Amino acid sequence: MQYEYTRKNYFKEADEAELKAIFDYAEGYKDFLFTSKTERGSCATAVKLCNERGYKPYMFGDSVKPGDKLYFVNRDKNIFIIRIGTNDIAEHGIKIMAAHVDSPRLDLKPNPLYEDAGLAFLKTHYYGGIKKYQWPTIPLALQGVVVLSGGKRVEVNVGDDEGDPIFYITDLLPHLSQEQNEQKLGKAIAGESLNAIVGSIADGGEEGEGIKSAVLRLLHDKYGMTEIDFQTSELCFVPAGRPRDVGFDRALISAYGHDDKVCAYPEMTALFEGDGKDTVMAIFADKEETGSQGVTGMQSRVIMDLIDSISRSLGADPILVRYKSKCISADVCAAYDPEYSSVYEKRNSSFISCGASVTKYHGARGKSSTNDASAEMVGYVRDALEENGVVYQTGELGKVDAGGGGTVAMFIANLGIDTLDMGVPVLSMHAPYEIISKADLYSMHRAMLAFVNKH
Ligand code: MN
Ligand code: MN
């Protein structure tokens, strides 16, 4: 009889075949992540993967039947992948998995372009929670869309291809940083100083004036846009480059945007691999990093409309379907960082490579603004994980009153759907390059599969 609970390290638990599976799975994720830096990129990549597997676009009012493989793309920034199961939806509900695919970044302002002292810049307004000092002096890519007059949409993606230029925010040289070094960390780099260099040759090749117009000419040549078209664009700077393995043993991955593509990818692969009995919905949500508001955020009515529409088509009462449904809010958690141990409570932290982490609640100031899952819901998921031998762990965000945070869980729970948070532990969360463990990534896939296949 095992009386004590001890957390396990998945790399230590795995046999040779499982170790191979862990490392193989990570390669598919790295490819997915490289083309999924923004919510639009994530949706486009997901659509491609769905199409390769015979999934079909769904529109409200379409009739559906058991066995259907569908996806609904909401304004190109939020996707619902849906597999209609053979089990009665009124009795079994829907297995929902909800991750988000927006990540902290630097959005362009509506009038971003200016020149000063021989350089042209694009001004930014940061999106989500960033530490501003982390963004100067790293290679940046520019991604997004420009809607031209008349509605034509042009895609922009510069900085990630070999041979592409990158963009760059400067920082002060240490020789002249005496005053800057005295500043508090949060004040040393101002939001208004996050302006990226995008050009430095003036029209006619002369130094001085005319660099802005030269940049505009290049933009017009390539995208057919003029300066006013910035006002009808969604462009952002994201860290350039591919995901990279970390460490001599290659056990970890450093990349931009693990939060929360590292949970979005496993929920999609689990849906693809599931047994097809229960109806399953994998959600890639937008706007989580700014509060889940808006038409593509998890507070939008779109999820309700989809459940209503699908339930009615199957002859089921959508109210009953919601009541019977269960949701994993699949979002990352903070991995215990021994370099910053003072903000963690070691007995209730998530540790790197110890598996996907079940988080009963997030929130702040005495569990405010959180979904606090019931013991019954946690027990349901625990049984699914244990029945399938999934190595997992449990944790809190950090010490009581050290800070706090949230996920989409409460918005789905508010619809009357039992919801539990679970996700991959991340080191340096929200930094331009975050770190996760390949073991935790694969654990998340196996956990989502166990949830989907529990009846
Ligand atoms: Mn997140
Ligand atoms: Mn986040």
Side-chain angles (χ1 to χ4, degrees):
M1 190 70 205
Q2 177 78 36
Y3 291 107
E4 279 191 43
Y5 163 74
T6 44
R7 187 183 288 109
K8 291 172 182 154
N9 182 293
Y10 191 11
F11 281 124
K12 280 188 195 158
E13 295 292 311
D15 62 17
E16 207 169 307
E18 195 151 10
L19 276 176
K20 184 175 184 312
I22 289 170
F23 280 89
D24 288 350
Y25 184 85
E27 295 307 305
Y29 169 61
K30 280 152 65 182
D31 288 343
F32 168 83
L33 188 55
F34 181 57
T35 57
S36 302
K37 292 186 176 183
T38 63
E39 58 276 8
R40 286 180 190 270
S42 302
C43 285
T45 308
V47 165
K48 183 171 159 281
L49 294 172
C50 283
N51 286 338
E52 285 169 11
R53 286 160 181 80
Y55 283 67
K56 300 268 183 283
Y58 172 83
M59 183 41 74
F60 294 115
D62 286 355
S63 65
V64 302
K65 58 181 188 312
D68 279 356
K69 297 174 171 183
L70 308 163
Y71 60 85
F72 177 77
V73 184
N74 181 16
R75 281 95 175 171
D76 290 340
K77 306 207 288 186
N78 164 216
I79 185 169
F80 299 75
I81 308 170
I82 304 155
R83 218 175 139 181
I84 309 294
T86 50
N87 284 339
D88 181 5
I89 197 171
E91 195 184 322
H92 293 257
I94 304 175
K95 294 280 184 46
I96 302 169
M97 299 171 285
H100 67 90
V101 288
D102 59 317
S103 299
R105 62 184 186 231
L106 304 177
D107 284 345
L108 294 199
K109 292 194 182 206
N111 290 311
L113 183 62
Y114 69 99
E115 70 171 276
D116 196 357
L119 297 165
F121 297 89
L122 286 173
K123 290 193 76 64
T124 67
H125 192 140
Y126 67 94
Y127 172 97
I130 64 164
K131 293 168 95 169
K132 293 185 259 302
Y133 73 85
Q134 294 174 333
W135 289 75
T137 74
I138 61 169
L140 298 169
L142 184 66
Q143 298 189 352
V145 297
V146 183
V147 175
L148 306 178
S149 170
K152 189 187 171 202
R153 191 172 75 175
V154 191
E155 296 203 6
V156 176
N157 189 352
V158 182
D160 264 345
D161 266 357
E162 289 286 326
D164 270 1
I166 53 100
F167 307 96
Y168 187 95
I169 296 166
T170 60
D171 195 2
L172 197 53
L173 61 168
H175 317 66
L176 297 177
S177 295
Q178 205 170 316
E179 200 181 315
Q180 189 193 42
N181 288 343
E182 302 300 318
Q183 301 274 333
K184 285 186 175 170
L185 202 56
K187 292 270 169 70
I189 305 290
E192 285 295 350
S193 71
L194 294 176
N195 308 313
I197 293 175
V198 296
S200 52
I201 299 177
D203 257 337
E206 285 175 30
E207 207 181 313
E209 297 287 296
I211 301 167
K212 176 180 170 181
S213 65
V215 168
L216 284 170
R217 184 172 47 75
L218 291 171
L219 290 174
H220 187 264
D221 288 350
K222 191 159 182 194
Y223 304 110
M225 67 181 286
T226 57
E227 189 173 11
I228 194 174
D229 297 323
F230 278 118
Q231 295 174 13
T232 50
S233 73
E234 276 183 319
L235 294 170
C236 62
F237 288 114
V238 291
R242 285 188 168 275
R244 302 285 297 268
D245 291 345
V246 176
F248 293 116
D249 54 15
R250 312 185 81 101
L252 311 178
I253 303 170
S254 159
Y256 167 69
H258 284 311
D259 178 7
D260 184 32
K261 271 78 84 169
V262 75
C263 296
Y265 183 73
E267 65 174 35
M268 178 174 61
T269 57
L271 179 143
F272 289 155
E273 278 180 35
D275 62 15
K277 288 181 183 166
D278 284 349
T279 295
V280 181
M281 177 186 278
I283 306 172
F284 288 14
D286 180 27
K287 295 281 177 283
E288 193 278 340
E289 295 295 357
T290 54
S292 297
Q293 308 278 358
V295 73
T296 51
M298 221 44 247
Q299 295 199 64
S300 150
R301 260 202 69 93
V302 169
I303 181 176
M304 285 280 278
D305 293 342
L306 268 175
I307 294 173
D308 284 7
S309 184
I310 286 164
S311 301
R312 289 209 187 90
S313 176
L314 292 165
D317 177 357
I319 296 171
L320 190 58
V321 170
R322 282 206 309 277
Y323 187 75
K324 297 272 187 170
S325 294
K326 287 187 167 56
C327 173
I328 298 289
S329 161
D331 203 347
V332 298
C333 60
Y336 182 87
D337 187 339
E339 298 296 321
Y340 298 95
S341 58
S342 68
V343 298
Y344 297 92
E345 193 263 284
K346 217 168 180 176
R347 288 177 189 82
N348 287 285
S349 294
S350 304
F351 286 79
I352 206 88
S353 299
C354 291
S357 187
V358 171
T359 306
K360 190 173 180 295
Y361 49 84
H362 284 93
R365 303 171 307 281
K367 296 189 174 183
S368 287
S369 289
T370 184
N371 166 57
D372 193 345
S374 69
E376 289 83 352
M377 178 61 185
V378 183
Y380 177 90
V381 173
R382 169 195 168 180
D383 284 345
L385 302 176
E386 288 185 349
E387 284 158 14
N388 289 278
V390 178
V391 174
Y392 73 99
Q393 58 184 323
T394 188
E396 289 190 317
L397 181 56
K399 264 187 184 166
V400 175
D401 291 340
T407 65
V408 301
M410 60 183 165
F411 307 121
I412 296 169
N414 288 349
L415 304 178
I417 297 170
D418 266 315
T419 304
L420 173 63
D421 274 301
M422 184 167 191
V424 171
V426 177
L427 287 167
S428 303
M429 195 193 291
H430 283 206
Y433 301 94
E434 305 168 312
I435 285 181
I436 61 102
S437 161
K438 292 178 183 179
D440 298 332
L441 168 70
Y442 191 59
S443 163
M444 189 66 187
H445 165 74
R446 293 204 51 213
M448 294 301 94
L449 192 57
F451 170 68
V452 164
N453 287 350
K454 182 166 174 64
H455 309 294

